Structure formats: C-alpha cells, structure tokens
C-alpha cells in the first residue's frame, strides 16, 4: 500500500473541500449578483469564482474579494488588477452587499472581513501605481493605474490607502 494512499484519495483530501466551498460561494454569488459576469456583464452559463484582487497578490480567500466571471474573462485578467470601472463596481458592491457577502462566505467556510478586504485592495492598487502598473479592462485592453483609483478607496470609510503593506501582509514577507 502506498505511503500516502491512492492518488485519487490524496487529490480528494487536498482539493475537494475547496472545490465544495467554491461551489457554495458560486451559488451564493449567483443569487446575490445574478447570472452575469462581473467584468463583461454578459450572461453566464459557465462561471469561475475569481479573486478580484488576484490571489498572487494576496494569497488568502476573503469572501468580499470573490466575484463570478466567465472563464475567458477570468483567464484574460489572470493575475492583474482590474481597471477603474470594475473597481468602482467592486467597491459599490462591497458597500451595498457586505452583510450578504459575509453570510455567503461564512456558509462556504471563507474568512469574511470587509475591512481587511478593502485594506488589501487599497494596498494592491497603491503598489500598482508605484510600479507603473497596468489594470485589466477587457481581453487585450489595459489602462494605467493612476491615483484616481485610490480616491475611490478614500471614499470608503474608514479605509485609507496604506503607504506600506498591512501588518498581516508584512508578517508574511
């Protein structure tokens, strides 16, 4: 008998809970947001649960950071920050639906902290500006990240764009 058991058992052990949780999150997001891609706004038949702030920038699953996207939009956006129209919609959604997002996330077993999600977002866009980064608008369509992005965060109280990584990020570095 293999030391770690059958490969199928190991795969199920490692990945089944997260897939189940993402399924719960996807169903909740469909009820909350409707069956439209967060980015292109077209109708969804198939959907990915996407990390709005890319997982590569903040490797934690926060319920307020999840959106539904067409697989093609999700793959095209990849590990880039989203452009201004998407950021405006994401922040508005958090403001209007925070409790519902927290409830869906808790049911799925994800962390549900609106304030941390907004801090992470402000931090990510601050770094994007400092790096002269480009934000994803649509497939093959990018725009420069400018200080106007951060003004949206300052409109969200009590979050203010941080000048350095939040302490929960700095501890991991």
């Amino acid at each position: 008998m293999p030391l770690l058991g059958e490969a199928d058992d190991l795969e199920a052990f490692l990945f089944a809970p997260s897939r189940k949780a993402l399924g719960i999150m996807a169903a909740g997001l469909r009820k909350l947001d409707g069956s439209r891609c967060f980015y292109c706004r077209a109708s969804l038949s198939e959907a990915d649960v996407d990390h709005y702030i890319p997982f590569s920038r903040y490797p934690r699953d926060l319920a307020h950071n999840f959106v539904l996207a067409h697989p093609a939009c999700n793959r095209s956006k990849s590990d880039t920050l989203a452009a201004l129209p998407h950021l405006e919609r994401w922040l508005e959604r958090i403001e209007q639906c925070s409790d519902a997002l927290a409830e869906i996330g808790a049911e799925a077993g994800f962390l549900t902290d609106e304030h941390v999600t907004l801090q992470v977002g402000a931090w990510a866009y601050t770094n994007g500006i400092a790096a002269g980064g480009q934000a994803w608008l649509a497939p093959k369509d990018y725009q420069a990240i400018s200080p106007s992005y951060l003004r949206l965060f300052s409109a969200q109280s009590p979050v203010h764009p941080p000048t350095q990584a939040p302490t929960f990020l700095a501890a991991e570095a």
Side-chain angles (χ1 to χ4, degrees):
M1 179 171 177
L3 182 62
L4 296 176
E6 296 298 320
D8 288 342
D9 293 339
L10 179 60
E11 182 178 349
F13 172 76
L14 292 173
F15 301 111
S18 63
R19 287 185 183 147
K20 180 179 178 186
L22 286 175
I24 293 168
M25 195 74 202
L29 290 175
R30 275 187 192 268
K31 287 179 185 174
L32 180 67
D33 297 331
S35 291
R36 296 219 171 270
C37 175
F38 182 81
Y39 301 110
C40 74
R41 308 306 295 153
S43 183
L44 287 170
S45 55
E46 193 179 334
D48 286 347
V49 176
D50 180 43
H51 292 84
Y52 179 83
I53 301 298
F55 191 79
S56 63
R57 294 181 189 255
Y58 184 73
R60 296 281 190 275
D61 291 325
L62 297 169
H64 293 79
N65 190 37
F66 288 126
V67 298
L68 285 181
H70 282 118
C73 288
N74 187 21
R75 306 291 180 279
S76 176
K77 177 181 164 278
S78 186
D79 64 351
T80 58
L81 293 170
L84 197 59
H86 306 306
L87 177 59
E88 290 169 336
R89 190 167 48 260
W90 182 66
L91 291 171
E92 180 179 307
R93 176 178 172 255
I94 289 174
E95 185 176 323
Q96 293 177 356
C97 303
S98 182
D99 290 344
L101 288 165
E103 186 177 317
I104 295 164
E107 182 182 338
F110 292 113
L111 297 173
T112 61
D113 193 322
E114 172 189 355
H115 183 72
V116 168
T117 303
L118 293 171
Q119 281 187 312
V120 168
W123 172 80
Y125 281 97
T126 298
N127 286 335
I129 292 167
Q134 298 283 307
W136 181 89
L137 184 60
K140 300 181 184 176
D141 191 0
Y142 295 83
Q143 53 186 223
I145 303 173
S146 70
S148 62
Y149 284 67
L150 296 183
R151 287 188 208 106
L152 295 175
F153 285 99
S154 63
Q156 299 279 323
S157 61
V159 175
H160 303 286
T163 56
Q164 60 185 26
T167 55
F168 49 85
L169 289 174
E172 297 173 359

